[in-house]
Structure formats: C-alpha cells, structure tokens
C-alpha cells in the first residue's frame, strides 16, 4: 500500500497506512496539486494511481518510470480524448475542472486467463477455447509468445475494428 500512498502524498493526498499495509485511511478535503513523480520501479498500478489523481489537480502531472509498464491509465483517462502524453519513459496528464462519466469496458487480465489457456493446450486435439475481453498489452504478452515458440496455435483478435486482428501460430 505504501508504494501507492507515497507518491499520492507528494501530490497532496492525505493517506495513512498501517506500516505500509491495510487498513488504509484516505482523508477527504485535501486538494491535489499537480506534480512530477519519479518512480524507482516500473509499476502500472502506481502509474495509474498517480495519473488518475492528476486528473483532479490543476496543471500537469507526470509519472516517470525506469522501464515500460502496462498502460491501463489510457482507457480511464480517455473519455475526452486526453489519454495522456508519452515522452520517453514519462507520461503526463492535464488536470481538469470537471470530469464526465463514461462507459468503459474493463478487460480481464491476461495473467488470470493464462491458467485457462494452459489448460486448453493440454485438452484433446481439436478442442478450442475462446476468451473474450482479455487485455493483451505488449508488456504482458510474453506468455503468449512463449506458447507460440513451443508450437501452440493461438489466434489473437484485437478490438472490434476491421483489420485489427493478429494471429500467432
């Protein structure tokens, strides 16, 4: 909990942890300030927390990490097209006075689907498995690449737009 709470405190959030563990107390009424957060480790969770908090601050909030991590923040920050700006290993968002509600399809995580995929590969020949709405981010697709190297026949369809499918065999 502390790895998420610490950078949020730098943006002005009032967050208390119990020696870095739950329970966590978040106090309301503390305005967030934009800021530049530099992380020592790549973390999609911390990046998402910082960038989402940045949407509620005045000005630009940025997050810099030493290596690329998943980009889950893009879907949540995109209702008005402002999905953030990527410059090298830094991503930034501009805070907005008002945010509007929007529909969002939250995909399942590939690491959770990996067990089902592995089970399907040992099923009798001719068996198939179709998993819908599983997020496949380039930083998380190594499992699929490894299976393909071992001869697994996989077909990956990205999005619903024509021409956005890719096969792995």
């Amino acid at each position: 909990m502390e790895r998420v709470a610490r950078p949020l405190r730098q943006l002005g959030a009032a967050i208390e942890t119990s020696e870095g563990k739950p329970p966590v107390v978040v106090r309301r009424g503390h305005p967030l300030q934009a800021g530049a957060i530099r992380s020592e480790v790549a973390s999609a969770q911390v990046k998402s927390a910082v960038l989402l908090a940045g949407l509620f601050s005045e000005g630009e909030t940025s997050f810099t990490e030493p290596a690329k991590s998943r980009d889950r923040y893009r879907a949540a920050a995109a209702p008005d097209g402002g999905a953030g700006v990527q410059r090298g290993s830094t991503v930034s968002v501009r805070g907005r006075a008002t945010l509007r509600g929007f529909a969002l399809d939250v995909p399942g995580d590939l690491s959770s689907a990996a067990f089902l995929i592995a089970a399907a590969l040992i099923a009798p020949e001719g068996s198939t498995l179709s998993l819908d709405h599983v997020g496949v981010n380039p930083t998380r697709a190594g499992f699929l690449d490894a299976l393909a190297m071992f001869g697994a026949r996989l077909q990956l369809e990205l999005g619903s737009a024509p021409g956005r499918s890719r096969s792995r065999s």
Side-chain angles (χ1 to χ4, degrees):
M1 303 277 92
E2 193 60 31
R3 71 187 182 106
V4 174
R6 188 177 311 113
L8 292 177
R9 282 190 207 107
Q10 291 175 325
L11 299 178
I15 302 174
E16 300 168 18
T17 66
S18 300
E19 296 180 19
K21 298 178 175 71
V24 175
V25 176
V26 179
R27 305 229 184 264
R28 293 178 56 161
H30 295 269
L32 297 176
Q33 301 98 33
I37 303 296
R38 180 173 293 277
S39 178
E40 294 179 13
V41 298
S43 171
Q45 294 83 6
V46 177
K47 175 171 49 178
S48 295
V50 167
L51 296 176
L52 288 172
L55 292 176
F56 293 91
S57 68
E58 292 293 327
E60 184 176 281
T61 297
S62 65
F63 183 84
T64 303
E65 56 190 341
K68 187 176 182 178
S69 66
R70 290 170 283 168
D71 61 355
R72 291 182 175 161
Y73 69 90
R74 287 189 184 274
D80 66 355
V85 176
Q86 179 91 39
R87 290 182 217 101
S89 61
T90 300
V91 183
S92 60
V93 295
R94 282 216 153 274
R96 286 171 232 135
T98 60
L99 294 176
R100 294 175 306 280
F102 60 96
L104 176 64
D105 179 18
V106 179
D109 189 63
L110 180 60
S111 62
S112 297
F115 300 101
L116 295 170
I117 295 168
L121 291 173
I122 60 172
E125 190 167 338
S127 299
T128 62
L129 170 69
S130 176
L131 299 171
D132 295 328
H133 303 286
V134 175
V136 181
N137 185 294
T139 62
R140 304 281 286 177
F143 173 71
L144 299 178
D145 294 334
L147 291 176
M149 285 178 14
F150 285 106
R153 292 182 53 224
L154 306 168
Q155 181 176 337
L156 179 63
E157 296 177 8
L158 302 174
S160 58
R164 291 194 59 196
S165 65
R166 184 173 82 202
S167 294
R168 298 174 187 245
S169 54

